[in-house]
Amino acid sequence: MGVAINPDETTTATYLTCNGSLLTFEVLTVNSAKPNELADYQGAKIVLGYKTREGDQRKVALDGKPIVSAGDALSIRASMTAEQSAAIATSIGRGSRLDVEIVHPELSTDMGVKKVFSGGFTTALLAMAAECPGLNL
């Protein structure tokens, strides 16, 4: 779990999970939703900004899936390919922060870059290493 700092200085939760060598990223929005309202948020994208091994800044756009989290909070979840997972894991493992953007017209209150500092994710990745050997941490 990580904490994202929104452009207005409020915070929100982000979650990083893995299965084998694949990472999934989830970001909590400021919206709430019921299961029958999820169709309104189809087509959402999560754009992750990260640093490569060489220190170059890159972005990857992920297709997001709207889900209802605890307390009817709306979250957007996106799965990564093996290549994307390796790039994000490497960036976090090197202590670089992630920049997160949610792109969808119905989520205008969540616009702007959310900054997720690597501390919490680095600890989580180390804990996941045994269960996610494909990440090669």
Side-chain angles (χ1 to χ4, degrees):
M1 182 172 145
V3 176
I5 300 173
N6 295 310
D8 65 0
E9 301 298 316
T10 59
T11 58
T12 191
T14 56
Y15 303 93
L16 187 67
T17 56
C18 77
N19 183 6
S21 63
L22 303 179
L23 293 175
T24 299
F25 189 84
E26 182 179 329
V27 60
L28 194 65
T29 73
V30 297
N31 295 54
S32 60
K34 301 286 185 199
N36 63 337
E37 299 170 330
L38 292 179
D40 296 343
Y41 303 101
Q42 291 296 339
K45 299 269 188 207
I46 295 177
V47 179
L48 296 178
Y50 65 96
K51 285 193 177 179
T52 65
R53 287 184 195 274
E54 295 77 27
D56 298 328
Q57 191 69 34
R58 296 277 165 80
K59 287 186 176 185
V60 61
L62 306 169
D63 292 327
K65 177 183 176 186
I67 61 168
V68 177
S69 294
D72 291 334
L74 174 68
S75 289
I76 305 298
R77 181 181 291 162
S79 298
M80 297 180 216
T81 66
E83 183 179 335
Q84 293 165 337
S85 296
I88 297 300
T90 297
S91 183
I92 292 169
R94 293 179 172 267
S96 299
R97 78 165 198 246
L98 290 180
D99 292 335
V100 181
E101 296 176 74
I102 300 174
V103 181
H104 191 278
E106 294 295 322
L107 298 171
S108 60
T109 52
D110 275 296
M111 299 213 25
V113 176
K114 303 169 188 307
K115 297 176 181 167
V116 183
F117 294 92
S118 66
F121 280 156
T122 301
T123 303
L125 275 175
L126 291 173
M128 285 191 270
E131 299 300 318
C132 302
L135 286 177
N136 297 321
L137 300 176

